[in-house]
Amino acid sequence: INISPHQLSYIINSEWKMNFNEFVNSYRINKAQTLLKNIDYQSATIFAIGIDSGFNSESSFYTAFKKATGLSPKRYRETLKLTSEL
């Protein structure tokens, strides 16, 4: 994109009101939410979904997911199951 890392960071900070890690994690969390809703991933572990979403550890996945959604990934999945059963 032909701009320096500093300029990119500035744009992310000013336009989206988040730092670079939060910006990247927002895309990872969206991917995780998609996978948690996907019937093909029903038997996948939470850790596998975290890895497939771009996280390097289960703890960082849980922390970022809960910060973004207010729920742990496990609770989010449970909520999806309860909602689909209604």
Side-chain angles (χ1 to χ4, degrees):
I1 58 176
N2 212 20
I3 62 173
S4 72
H6 176 72
Q7 290 171 311
L8 178 58
S9 182
Y10 177 80
I11 292 168
I12 292 169
N13 289 330
S14 61
E15 294 296 320
W16 287 283
K17 308 295 186 236
M18 59 179 81
N19 66 39
F20 181 77
N21 287 336
E22 291 168 332
F23 180 77
V24 171
N25 281 345
S26 70
Y27 282 92
R28 292 174 177 162
I29 297 302
N30 287 336
K31 174 70 174 184
Q33 288 176 305
T34 300
L35 295 178
L36 287 164
K37 293 174 187 174
N38 188 326
I39 195 163
D40 295 333
Y41 277 80
Q42 279 184 335
S43 63
T45 65
I46 297 295
F47 179 63
I49 289 174
I51 294 296
D52 288 353
S53 301
F55 288 92
N56 292 322
S57 74
E58 192 170 19
S59 64
S60 64
F61 174 48
Y62 264 82
T63 300
F65 194 95
K66 187 158 187 174
K67 181 179 178 184
T69 66
L71 299 170
S72 70
K74 182 179 178 182
R75 184 69 183 131
Y76 184 85
R77 178 185 261 176
E78 290 168 354
T79 302
L80 289 173
K81 286 181 183 178
L82 290 174
T83 304
S84 67
E85 292 172 1
L86 297 177

